[in-house]
Amino acid sequence: MVQITWLGHTTFSLRLANGEVVIIDPWIDGNPKFPADYQIDRVDTILVTHGHFDHIGNVRSLAAQFKPQIYANYEICTWLGSKGVDKCNGMNKGGAAQAGSLKITMTHALHSSGITDDDGKMIYGGEPAGFVLHFDDGRNAYFAGDTDVFSEMAFIAELHKPALAFLPIGDLYTMNPRGAAIATRLLGVETVIPMHYGTFPPLTGTPAELAVLTSANVLTLEPGKPVEW
Ligand code: NI
Ligand code: MN
């Protein structure tokens, strides 16, 4: 059993069966949908899908506070290292790593990954990615990150058989619900958690639009309200 809490946009907290807390794409400061009263009280692991500010914004502050192990692409880890963040484990697509009791596999994503440095300049942030999350009860979930639908999602299904997928649906920067419906079919998942929608007015895709296009269960989360999976 894992407790999943959406913290708005693409930020999630996963509390694992043994109590470890995994934060994915931490963005707190400036995140319009971060739940106002929510307190992050423990962080063992941070996963970073790509270098955009809305995914990496609070990696450094959480790293300073909780000293977690961080997993990201090699370029992001190098940049974090240059900012004094140690414990970043660089990896790349297709590779797996053991992050506490959670095993993770980095996957492809169809997006970009520039990092806005402290002086405002855009620097190279490697390739964007997603993660397959291998829980210690044998179940797998796929966290897509920011991406369009891509045909290699069929390989993720073949390799990892995820039962759950976190998919962006907002449009403009990622796929929309129509793309997410195709992704759901390629992945063969039973359940989809929509993300990267509703944060700003241009992110117009809705879970209801996805729900009419797929037979999978669309699990619509409310920021700050945990669900068990
Ligand atoms: Ni992005
Ligand atoms: Mn984004």
Side-chain angles (χ1 to χ4, degrees):
M1 192 72 85
V2 52
Q3 186 187 71
I4 301 169
T5 308
W6 191 30
L7 301 178
H9 201 52
T10 320
T11 305
F12 284 84
S13 171
L14 309 179
R15 195 173 291 267
L16 307 181
N18 69 353
E20 289 173 4
V21 174
V22 179
I23 303 284
I24 308 177
D25 283 356
W27 182 39
I28 301 166
D29 300 321
N31 178 349
K33 300 292 185 186
F34 191 89
D37 299 333
Y38 192 83
Q39 290 290 333
I40 294 176
D41 56 9
R42 174 175 174 173
V43 185
D44 298 275
T45 303
I46 295 177
L47 307 181
V48 180
T49 61
H50 65 293
H52 292 159
F53 75 94
D54 54 321
H55 300 260
I56 204 171
N58 280 87
V59 170
R60 289 154 73 182
S61 62
L62 290 180
Q65 190 175 356
F66 296 102
K67 311 285 185 219
Q69 294 289 333
I70 302 167
Y71 296 83
N73 72 31
Y74 177 75
E75 290 81 3
I76 289 170
C77 280
T78 302
W79 180 79
L80 286 171
S82 78
K83 303 299 179 186
V85 176
D86 54 5
K87 296 191 179 179
C88 191
N89 304 272
M91 56 192 302
N92 217 319
K93 297 172 186 179
Q98 191 70 38
S101 69
L102 182 70
K103 185 183 165 191
I104 56 173
T105 300
M106 185 172 270
T107 64
H108 183 55
L110 201 53
H111 193 65
S112 61
S113 184
I115 301 169
T116 306
D117 209 347
D118 296 338
D119 62 5
K121 289 204 177 74
M122 181 67 74
I123 60 173
Y124 180 64
E127 291 261 322
F131 290 99
V132 176
L133 314 172
H134 309 271
F135 297 103
D136 64 2
D137 60 6
R139 295 180 305 164
N140 295 329
Y142 167 57
F143 190 92
D146 285 6
T147 188
D148 192 8
V149 61
F150 52 91
S151 57
E152 293 87 345
M153 285 178 176
F155 296 141
I156 295 172
E158 185 175 350
L159 284 165
H160 305 295
K161 299 188 169 36
L164 165 68
F166 299 75
L167 298 179
I169 64 163
D171 212 329
L172 187 61
Y173 298 113
T174 70
M175 58 187 164
N176 62 22
R178 291 186 62 218
I182 296 170
T184 303
R185 172 166 57 75
L186 292 173
L187 292 162
V189 292
E190 300 156 12
T191 303
V192 177
I193 293 179
M195 60 183 187
H196 215 279
Y197 71 93
T199 321
F200 317 107
L203 303 189
T204 53
T206 65
E209 289 174 86
L210 174 58
V212 299
L213 295 170
T214 179
S215 56
N217 173 34
V218 177
L219 184 55
T220 305
L221 301 192
E222 192 178 325
K225 298 273 165 60
V227 296
E228 303 279 342
W229 180 76

